Amino acid sequence: MVSKSDVGIILMNLGSPDSTAIPDVKRYLNEFLMDKRVIDYPWLLRKILIEGIIVPKRAEQSARAYASIWWKEGSPLVVLTKQLQLAVQNDMEIPVEIAMRYGNPSPEVAYENLLKQNPDLKEVVLLPLYPHYAMSSYETGLVYAEEIYKKKKYKFKLSVIPPFYDEPDYIHALTESMRPYLQKEYDYILFSYHGLPERHMRKADPTGAHCMKVNDCCHVKSSAHDFCYRHQITVTSELVAEKLGLPREKWGISFQSRLGREEWLKPYTAGLLETLPAEGKKKLLIVCPAFVSDCLETLEEIAVEGKHSFLNSGGETFTMIPCLNIHPLWVKAVVKYCTQIMEQ
């Protein structure tokens, strides 16, 4: 049991609509898509595009999608994040709160809840629940939490845990969460990650000369890798594949959740699910390591729509491996990361 009387912890996830009602979904989509780190167009163009075209067109469809995966307790992502909070809290004599980048609860609510429990709070450890760095996930969550922290002029120190894509405890948890699914016959394992526009890769490159410009850039050492989503997801996949002893021809990487018509990271998951059966890969395992909690993108986009597409294209079996959620090894890793930050 870990204890430090003047510290609090916040686990920060992406967020979810408050309900599956269309007004709540519209509100959530507007907040999410108007984020300049998600759609990085000029403000006026972004506003016209999102509020005038995308949200009115997608809100009803998104509401139906959320309704199809919604749990009795609420949004799966929020419910699972709360379960992680409780699991971590059980191993630490330190208050643990959750926050969302979009929707509720906000980082301000989490900060205030920690202060209510301890007015003499000296430090808050923030863990953005994104294994990999991207400006539309880790960066925007961190910036949002820091903006509120500075605006409210809190006196406690804010310490932030960096992306953990190659941390041994995370890799071990992910590997062992997958291992039981490999006991049955399969032809192929697909690591499906949330996609990003290729433009985001180049924009995040501090060198301006590496990402998507150098041959095999993900494997050529560079300071750009600290901010490169594609490099980091490649490392995660390779480390897990090595620990599981996967032959190279038995696994691959793809990218899901594409929005718009510009070029995104390839190959696209949706396209592969239609072509893999014709290549003889008819028994498929699919895992989504960009997410630590199951959500719309895993439970609906992959487990429902993806499965339907794969089976209709000639696939025989389709198994989505759940996210880490509250796997004991993942809970242990979270406790360790938070403890290490507190001890620095």
Side-chain angles (χ1 to χ4, degrees):
M1 184 72 72
V2 179
S3 176
K4 195 174 180 183
S5 60
D6 55 0
V7 178
I9 293 169
I10 297 176
L11 307 177
M12 188 175 189
N13 217 327
L14 179 74
S16 173
D18 290 333
S19 78
T20 62
I22 291 178
D24 281 343
V25 173
K26 281 186 175 180
R27 189 179 308 112
Y28 174 77
L29 289 177
N30 275 320
E31 182 184 5
F32 173 44
L33 297 174
M34 278 301 294
D35 183 346
K36 65 182 179 181
R37 288 178 172 81
V38 173
I39 297 182
D40 55 333
Y41 296 162
W43 180 85
L44 182 57
L45 175 59
R46 194 164 71 246
K47 187 173 180 65
I48 293 170
L49 179 66
I50 292 162
E51 296 184 4
I53 301 174
I54 296 178
V55 171
K57 185 177 180 180
R58 290 174 63 98
E60 186 174 347
Q61 177 186 351
S62 293
R64 286 197 302 269
Y66 275 110
S68 72
I69 56 99
W70 209 257
W71 293 348
K72 180 178 63 176
E73 302 90 343
S75 160
L77 180 140
V78 175
V79 171
L80 288 165
T81 307
K82 288 179 179 178
Q83 290 178 359
L84 179 63
Q85 172 194 9
L86 292 174
V88 172
Q89 184 72 83
N90 284 339
D91 285 346
M92 307 187 82
E93 290 183 345
I94 296 170
V96 181
E97 293 290 330
I98 67 168
M100 300 293 161
R101 171 58 184 92
Y102 313 104
N104 297 304
S106 71
E108 182 175 353
V109 169
Y111 292 144
E112 294 296 332
N113 284 344
L114 289 175
L115 283 170
K116 286 177 185 176
Q117 295 174 74
N118 183 3
D120 298 321
L121 195 65
K122 296 292 191 297
E123 180 181 14
V124 169
V125 175
L126 176 69
L127 173 56
L129 294 171
Y130 310 102
H132 314 92
Y133 191 98
M135 70 180 193
S136 57
S137 57
Y138 183 93
E139 182 181 303
T140 187
L142 173 57
V143 169
Y144 183 50
E146 287 182 334
E147 285 176 347
I148 293 173
Y149 170 75
K150 292 173 183 176
K151 180 180 178 181
K152 300 293 290 187
K153 298 180 179 179
Y154 292 119
K155 295 181 180 180
F156 54 77
K157 174 186 176 183
L158 181 63
S159 301
V160 183
I161 296 175
F164 44 88
Y165 66 97
D166 61 349
E167 284 291 329
D169 295 279
Y170 164 68
I171 296 299
H172 180 54
L174 182 56
T175 299
E176 296 309 311
S177 74
M178 294 173 61
R179 194 180 298 279
Y181 293 88
L182 275 63
Q183 304 309 308
K184 68 176 186 178
E185 185 182 357
Y186 70 94
D187 296 323
Y188 200 67
I189 299 178
L190 188 61
F191 291 78
S192 177
Y193 292 89
H194 198 291
L196 289 177
E198 292 182 355
R199 177 171 45 84
H200 281 205
M201 298 297 97
R202 293 186 286 268
K203 187 172 183 178
D205 179 359
T207 72
H210 187 81
C211 290
M212 308 199 77
K213 295 180 179 179
V214 172
N215 187 40
D216 196 22
C217 55
C218 287
H219 293 102
V220 176
K221 189 174 181 180
S222 170
S223 59
H225 289 170
D226 290 341
F227 306 96
C228 181
Y229 179 76
R230 191 170 71 159
H231 163 75
Q232 294 181 8
I233 67 97
T234 299
V235 170
T236 295
S237 305
E238 290 176 346
L239 288 173
V240 171
E242 180 182 5
K243 285 190 170 293
L244 289 172
L246 303 179
R248 189 59 190 88
E249 68 276 9
K250 294 275 282 187
W251 66 274
I253 295 171
S254 64
F255 300 92
Q256 63 183 86
S257 310
R258 182 185 178 200
L259 176 66
R261 297 182 179 179
E262 66 179 306
E263 292 297 308
W264 280 44
L265 293 175
K266 298 182 185 69
Y268 301 139
T269 299
L272 282 183
L273 293 179
E274 294 178 352
T275 59
L276 285 174
E279 299 172 8
K281 298 163 183 172
K282 298 188 176 186
K283 297 180 175 66
L284 184 69
L285 299 177
I286 187 166
V287 63
C288 303
F291 310 95
V292 298
S293 306
D294 277 307
C295 53
L296 184 72
E297 285 82 357
T298 64
L299 299 174
E300 196 274 338
E301 182 180 356
I302 297 300
V304 177
E305 294 298 323
K307 179 178 182 178
H308 178 77
S309 175
F310 180 75
L311 296 180
N312 274 5
S313 300
E316 295 176 1
T317 63
F318 179 103
T319 302
M320 190 197 80
I321 300 172
C323 292
L324 287 170
N325 296 326
I326 54 170
H327 191 286
L329 291 174
W330 169 230
V331 174
K332 184 178 179 181
V334 171
V335 171
K336 183 175 179 179
Y337 296 155
C338 295
T339 303
Q340 288 173 335
I341 290 291
M342 290 188 301
E343 292 175 346
Q344 289 180 0

